[in-house]
Amino acid sequence: MSKNLVIVESPTKVKTISKFLSSDYKIVACGGHIRDLPKSKMGVDIEDGFKPHYIIIAKKRKIASNLKKEAKNKEAIYLACDPDREGEAIAWHITKVLNSASKFYRVVFNELTKDVISKSFEKPTTINMSKVHAQQARRILDRILGYELSPLLWKKVSRGLSAGRVQSVALSFIVKREREIKAFKPEE
């Protein structure tokens, strides 16, 4: 029985990475984010410092349950999610869902080669909370803007549209340009 658990995002990486690690490591995939803000409400407490309220994504409950089972009695859990801020956030969310007594380590690699993977497991790190906070800020901003702007879009444009950071900036440009056009006074 393996004494360590390795969690990756993609199921396709499981087979490749298992070729490079010993049988001391059990490798499983989480399939990306397993927690997010709820779809049915804002999920951000604006009054309490923009505190997010995360829930396990409905489609990922089975995966979360399986991860908990796999994490039982493991000496260490290695979080090998992607090296970007989304991967860092996924790794952090996994620690919150597992709530395990096992020691968590973060391993990062940009290529799936024996040398790179071996080196990353020789010197594991911790979760980079700056990246987690950056991802959370982006997600919270998307949610707040989306919840405020989307109903306006539904009234003015079409039902079912959603707004976020990018859409709100684009909408700002359009409004500004429309005002310039209306304020234009033609001269000969």
Side-chain angles (χ1 to χ4, degrees):
M1 184 170 144
S2 55
K3 59 183 179 179
N4 302 302
L5 180 65
V6 179
I7 301 173
V8 297
E9 282 183 58
S10 168
T12 57
K13 290 180 182 176
V14 172
K15 189 175 180 182
T16 305
I17 295 170
S18 63
K19 293 176 192 174
F20 306 133
L21 297 175
S22 72
S23 59
D24 287 342
Y25 297 90
K26 168 83 186 249
I27 305 159
V28 296
C30 67
H33 285 279
I34 59 173
R35 283 197 332 167
D36 197 6
L37 300 171
K39 287 187 177 205
S40 59
K41 58 183 178 179
M42 171 121 23
V44 177
D45 189 347
I46 296 171
E47 304 298 320
D48 187 15
F50 298 93
K51 185 177 179 181
H53 171 71
Y54 293 109
I55 61 165
I56 295 175
I57 299 167
K59 291 180 181 178
K60 298 293 183 91
R61 286 188 186 130
K62 187 175 180 182
I63 291 172
S65 178
N66 288 339
L67 289 175
K68 286 178 185 180
K69 286 178 194 167
E70 293 290 349
K72 278 188 178 164
N73 303 320
K74 298 296 186 209
E75 287 180 19
I77 298 171
Y78 292 86
L79 304 163
C81 301
D82 293 348
D84 57 7
R85 69 176 175 218
E86 291 294 324
E88 212 70 29
I90 291 167
W92 178 76
H93 282 290
I94 289 169
T95 66
K96 298 302 175 195
V97 169
L98 296 184
N99 196 19
S100 173
S102 301
K103 184 100 168 119
F104 288 99
Y105 296 100
R106 181 77 169 102
V107 289
V108 178
F109 38 84
N110 290 311
E111 57 186 73
L112 296 175
T113 61
K114 183 176 175 87
D115 188 46
V116 170
I117 290 171
S118 296
K119 284 180 182 173
S120 67
F121 276 84
E122 286 170 12
K123 294 186 179 178
T125 62
T126 59
I127 292 174
N128 181 336
M129 288 308 294
S130 293
K131 284 185 179 181
V132 173
H133 294 311
Q135 190 276 342
Q136 279 187 315
R138 183 199 58 77
R139 185 70 186 101
I140 290 168
L141 185 60
D142 274 349
R143 178 54 61 96
I144 293 169
L145 287 173
Y147 258 72
E148 298 297 322
L149 285 179
S150 293
L152 180 66
L153 281 174
W154 300 341
K155 281 185 198 172
K156 302 290 183 185
V157 182
S158 176
R159 188 98 181 118
L161 295 174
S162 65
R165 290 170 294 123
V166 176
Q167 296 89 340
S168 61
V169 173
L171 183 61
S172 167
F173 288 145
I174 292 167
V175 169
K176 183 178 176 187
R177 185 69 178 136
E178 185 68 25
R179 287 179 180 152
E180 288 173 359
I181 291 168
K182 286 183 179 179
F184 178 73
K185 302 283 189 237
E187 290 182 19
E188 285 196 30

